Amino acid sequence: MEVSERRSVSIEIKDDKVFTWPNLVAKEFLAAIFVTVGLLVYSYFVDAPLRELSNPGQAENPAKAPWYFLGLQEALVYFDPWFAGVVLPSIIVLGLIVIPYIDNNPKGNGYYTFRERKFAVSAFMSGYIFWYILIYIGTALRGPFWSFFWPWEEWTHDFPTPPPLHDMPLPVGVALLLGFYFVGLVVPVLVNRNFFNRIGVIRYVITMGLMLTMIGTVLKMFLRLAFNIKYIIATPWINI
């Protein structure tokens, strides 16, 4: 009797897992084939949205990148090119690369769960949605001279002159930036000590550094739109 019970338990444990090949890979391969066939059929009936040939004597206004780069082009409005075009995309790519190494939560591997991974899912979805908001703004709300137009406004070259921009005083900007990262690193430890103890110092600093950079990017855009602040830190060498 004990032997049969042990055998049934071992069988249940063994059947609890399946191999990636061929169970998962075969299904993904079939799904890729169906998607490819669907795209081919769709492209046969719907033409690509190509426009007329460019005219060197008449530049397009506004000149826009492809839709998947418009989020980056919109970010150039609020930041220097070195940050919006190099640093910010690099942080996004490197952040996605290090996620498997800083996320040591064993729950949610192989299945979707929000209750057990609230922080990870919320952080990823916030950044994902924010990037598509930038793409939407660049696609639908940016008109001639890259001016902002609400959806109900008509694009026209006759629009009010935008208000002048100003920079923060350098000591205020440095203190604000350092205070933002300091408070952002310390307060979560005081509020949720278990989170800090579970992932460790190095993982915590990397995780919160990425989170604070994402939040700071949104706040910098808000300062530009609400208070006409161009740079928090403005120097002859670097502007943020």
Side-chain angles (χ1 to χ4, degrees), residues 19-79:
F19 289 102
T20 302
W21 169 263
N23 299 280
L24 177 62
V25 177
K27 293 179 180 178
E28 290 179 343
F29 181 70
L30 290 176
I33 292 177
F34 290 139
V35 171
T36 303
V37 172
L39 289 175
L40 291 175
V41 173
Y42 180 80
S43 63
Y44 179 81
F45 293 100
V46 180
D47 294 331
L50 300 177
R51 304 173 65 181
E52 65 276 1
L53 294 176
S54 60
N55 183 3
Q58 184 177 1
E60 184 182 10
N61 187 7
K64 294 187 177 183
W67 70 268
Y68 42 85
F69 281 138
L70 278 178
L72 181 62
Q73 189 173 357
E74 176 65 17
L76 289 169
V77 177
Y78 310 94
F79 300 96

